[in-house]
Amino acid sequence: QVQLVESGGGLVQAGGSLKLSCTASERTFSPYVMAWFRRAPGKEREFVAGISSTGGNTYYADSVKGRFTISRDGANNTVYLQMNSLKPDDTAVYYCKGGATLTPKQYDYWGQGTQVTVSS
């Protein structure tokens, strides 16, 4: 079974940066659309950023546009989320998702999540 493993979370001060990684266990993941979602305490899960299978198209939530950058490295089966100018509102558990579309579907693959905490 395909597994997604996230890493790179941690504690950072407001204005700082973090880079999240999501590595798939199999190369069969290369045709999939990859995305990052997050869930903050007491809030619903929300879309953060997504990238097409070729990497040619990227998509961002308005709240992170201009601050976050998603990219993928096919040779290493890894998707990245570079997060700059972090704000306390970015505090959440960040999840990597792989599937046919950006919108979550029943048969998508999800990672276990990585905690990002931004202090003010």
Side-chain angles (χ1 to χ4, degrees), residues 3-82:
Q3 291 185 328
L4 299 178
V5 179
E6 301 107 330
S7 61
L11 173 64
V12 64
Q13 289 188 329
S17 298
L18 282 174
K19 186 173 185 178
L20 306 184
S21 299
C22 170
T23 300
S25 59
E26 297 182 12
R27 287 194 174 276
T28 53
F29 237 79
S30 58
Y32 283 79
V33 173
M34 301 297 294
W36 289 93
F37 285 74
R38 68 186 180 187
R39 186 191 301 271
K43 295 186 178 181
E44 296 292 319
R45 181 181 63 191
E46 65 174 352
F47 169 78
V48 176
I51 188 166
S52 63
S53 58
T54 62
N57 294 296
T58 56
Y59 311 88
Y60 298 95
D62 288 343
S63 59
V64 307
K65 202 170 294 184
R67 300 188 297 122
F68 291 11
T69 302
I70 189 171
S71 61
R72 66 191 298 164
D73 179 353
N76 293 307
N77 289 346
T78 301
V79 176
Y80 302 99
L81 186 67
Q82 177 67 48

Side-chain angles (χ1 to χ4, degrees), residues 6-10 20-21 36 92-95 112-116:
E6 301 107 330
S7 61
L20 306 184
S21 299
W36 289 93
V93 178
Y94 284 71
Y95 298 91
Q112 82 288 352
T114 185
Q115 176 71 47
V116 172

